[in-house]
Amino acid sequence: MASILKLLVFLLIFLNHEASGRFGTDKENYNWLSTDNDNRHNWYQKARLKASCLERDKTEGRNAVSRCWFFEGMKSWFRRSSISWFPGKTKSWNLTELTDHCNDYYVCMENTKCYKDYVLFETFDRCSHDAFSIGPMSFCNKKLKDFHKNSPGILPSCVVDYLEKAPPKKWACENTKSLGDCLLPQVQKHCDPGLLPIFNEHQAARQYYLGCDGKLKFKDIENVIANSTTNSTEIEIL
Ligand SMILES: *[C@@H]1O[C@H](CO)[C@@H](O)[C@H](O)[C@H]1NC(C)=O
Ligand SMILES: *[C@@H]1O[C@H](CO)[C@@H](O)[C@H](O)[C@H]1NC(C)=O
Ligand SMILES: *[C@@H]1O[C@H](CO)[C@@H](O)[C@H](O)[C@H]1NC(C)=O
């Protein structure tokens, strides 16, 4: 009985967070499950799924997607919350450990064979960047904020924007790279030297997941991004 109550309370908290449209109060705490906050409930949004999963009479794929979204999404949310409550414990983690929950979600979604590949990788990038930001990077953000407060006008404007403005809705090659390049010298100057290896690793991983380093080739990502139209051409990873 007690455990059922706990589960109910947990579900209520989960659904409440879902409904309130954000996972936390800090502006870094945006929802990574969706690539776009406005479309957060549209996990079934047509543009994100492969054409083969959208046929009216073929529901298994879509059911599998909603199961992943619910169960893995919930597990992942729980893990994310524990990182945001105790970010200190992530200081000794490597990137694999830090993004473990993202990986579970990714694997479940990949097994449905319904999601377009670039959508999966983009979702992974969003999840891992979120975990990085609320985990090890949160200490660095705090140092940068304190520095900026005590000595205004010294940090480059791109760092100040990063600290003070909401993150972009869409992460792509250019904005991830320029943010990384802009932060790196300040991270070296102001933050714990222990952060640097995982900072660099995370930055390189983002370039990989978003198909910027040439190792992943998503067949129609250019079309989708340039046009932002719904095109159901499937994507191939070379
Ligand atoms: C990350 O840490 C875990 C646990 O300590 C270890 O098993 C794993 O090999 C590490 N991964 C990398 C890429 O270093
Ligand atoms: C949109 O994509 C099509 C290919 O499907 C391409 O021919 C066209 O130039 C693109 N439009 C823009 C504005 O990039
Ligand atoms: C999707 O792209 C293919 C190939 O680029 C094109 O033939 C098709 O018309 C496009 N479909 C839509 C709905 O834009």
Side-chain angles (χ1 to χ4, degrees):
M1 190 60 202
S3 61
I4 290 177
L5 263 178
K6 263 186 214 157
L7 179 67
L8 272 178
V9 168
F10 177 75
L11 276 178
L12 276 176
I13 293 171
F14 178 71
L15 293 173
N16 181 45
H17 272 280
E18 279 297 319
S20 67
R22 41 175 39 214
F23 278 134
T25 48
D26 209 330
K27 68 176 160 18
E28 290 132 90
N29 299 353
Y30 47 87
N31 176 24
W32 54 265
L33 285 175
S34 162
T35 52
D36 182 334
N37 285 332
D38 295 336
N39 294 326
R40 57 197 313 285
H41 292 290
N42 293 344
W43 50 268
Y44 50 80
Q45 193 196 0
K46 281 184 184 152
R48 299 165 65 79
L49 298 182
K50 291 179 179 176
S52 55
C53 284
L54 291 172
E55 288 165 33
R56 205 175 257 274
D57 52 339
K58 289 195 186 150
T59 53
E60 322 90 82
R62 293 198 294 278
N63 289 341
V65 165
S66 65
R67 273 197 301 275
C68 283
W69 179 81
F70 189 75
F71 292 108
E72 288 302 326
M74 190 156 71
K75 267 170 61 188
S76 185
W77 171 81
F78 195 68
R79 181 83 194 262
R80 185 206 185 271
S81 304
S82 106
I83 292 176
S84 73
W85 293 331
F86 310 106
K89 70 181 179 183
T90 64
K91 277 185 175 174
S92 61
W93 289 3
N94 61 34
L95 197 58
T96 317
E97 292 168 295
L98 188 64
T99 59
D100 207 28
H101 59 298
C102 309
N103 200 47
D104 289 349
Y105 186 77
Y106 169 90
V107 168
C108 187
M109 283 301 191
E110 193 190 26
N111 286 339
T112 68
K113 303 210 181 346
C114 267
Y115 263 84
K116 290 181 178 176
D117 292 317
Y118 84 89
V119 172
L120 281 179
F121 280 96
E122 199 177 49
T123 307
F124 191 97
D125 172 67
R126 190 164 272 266
C127 174
S128 64
H129 182 60
D130 175 61
F132 179 73
S133 308
I134 61 170
M137 188 69 189
S138 64
F139 299 97
C140 183
N141 290 341
K142 195 170 177 309
K143 282 191 180 156
L144 291 172
K145 273 179 190 161
D146 288 346
F147 177 80
H148 182 59
K149 209 165 147 195
N150 297 331
S151 330
I154 294 179
L155 290 179
S157 61
C158 57
V159 176
V160 177
D161 284 353
Y162 160 78
L163 293 173
E164 293 180 349
K165 291 188 181 161
K169 279 197 165 183
K170 178 116 189 139
W171 287 112
C173 296
E174 271 170 26
N175 61 2
T176 49
K177 186 163 188 332
S178 62
L179 177 61
D181 291 349
C182 144
L183 285 176
L184 180 61
Q186 309 308 321
V187 170
Q188 285 169 325
K189 212 184 278 174
H190 300 285
C191 302
D192 181 352
L195 177 69
L196 204 56
I198 198 170
F199 179 90
N200 288 328
E201 212 185 330
H202 170 61
Q203 190 58 24
R206 299 202 80 184
Q207 296 296 298
Y208 170 74
Y209 294 128
L210 294 173
C212 313
D213 66 1
K215 287 182 194 145
L216 288 179
K217 288 214 166 55
F218 306 112
K219 236 199 230 163
D220 63 355
I221 192 162
E222 281 89 358
N223 278 348
V224 174
I225 286 174
N227 276 329
S228 42
T229 53
T230 306
N231 193 316
S232 55
T233 317
E234 294 194 10
I235 301 156
E236 183 179 70
I237 304 178
L238 298 177

